[in-house]
Structures are given as structure tokens and as C-alpha cells.
């Protein structure tokens, strides 16, 4: 029988936490430990989209909810 070459669906990438090669079962991480570290960062709020103060001021001005003293 001829051997069949299987092409992976996704390219191999390093683990975003430690840099080791990722594993199929925990993709894109290399282990359940690195996966749990990332989850903890999301749940604790370490990953957040920064908001500038001037964006909040612009939003208040357009909606009319700003404090006008």
C-alpha cells in the first residue's frame, strides 16, 4: 500500500505563553497549563482594550449625557 501524506489543517505555531511547539489537543497552546494561564488572564481582566479619556468625552458630547455645570 502507498503511504498517504496528510496535510495539517493549520500551520504549526509556537505556544503564545512559553514559545514551545503547540499541541493538537490544546491548540494554540502547548499544554493544559499554558491554556489555563491564558484563561486566568482573561478572567482576571489582565487582557483589556484600553480606552482613552477623549473617546469618553466625545461619546458624552454626542449623546448629550455629559455634565454641564
Amino acid at each position: 500500500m502507498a503511504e498517504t501524506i496528510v496535510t495539517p489543517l493549520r500551520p504549526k505555531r509556537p505556544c503564545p505563553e512559553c514559545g514551545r511547539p503547540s499541541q493538537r489537543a490544546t491548540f494554540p497552546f502547548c499544554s493544559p497549563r499554558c491554556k489555563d494561564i491564558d484563561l486566568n488572564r482573561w478572567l482576571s481582566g489582565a487582557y483589556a482594550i484600553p480606552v482613552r479619556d477623549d473617546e469618553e468625552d466625545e461619546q458624552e458630547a454626542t449623546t448629550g449625557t455629559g455634565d454641564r455645570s
Side-chain angles (χ1 to χ4, degrees):
M1 276 192 207
E3 290 186 30
T4 305
I5 298 174
V6 177
T7 306
L9 296 176
R10 355 180 157 122
K12 289 242 178 197
R13 294 185 179 171
C15 175
E17 291 298 320
C18 66
R20 291 186 293 191
S22 61
Q23 298 297 317
R24 181 180 207 120
T26 56
F27 188 82
F29 304 99
C30 68
S31 66
R33 179 182 178 272
C34 284
K35 193 173 186 176
D36 290 342
I37 289 170
D38 185 70
L39 177 61
N40 182 45
R41 287 185 181 151
W42 278 106
L43 296 176
S44 67
Y47 296 139
I49 299 172
V51 177
R52 296 187 330 236
D53 288 337
D54 60 335
E55 288 178 350
E56 291 174 354
D57 294 340
E58 289 174 10
Q59 185 178 11
E60 289 175 0
T62 59
T63 59
T65 60
D67 187 24
R68 298 179 188 203
S69 323

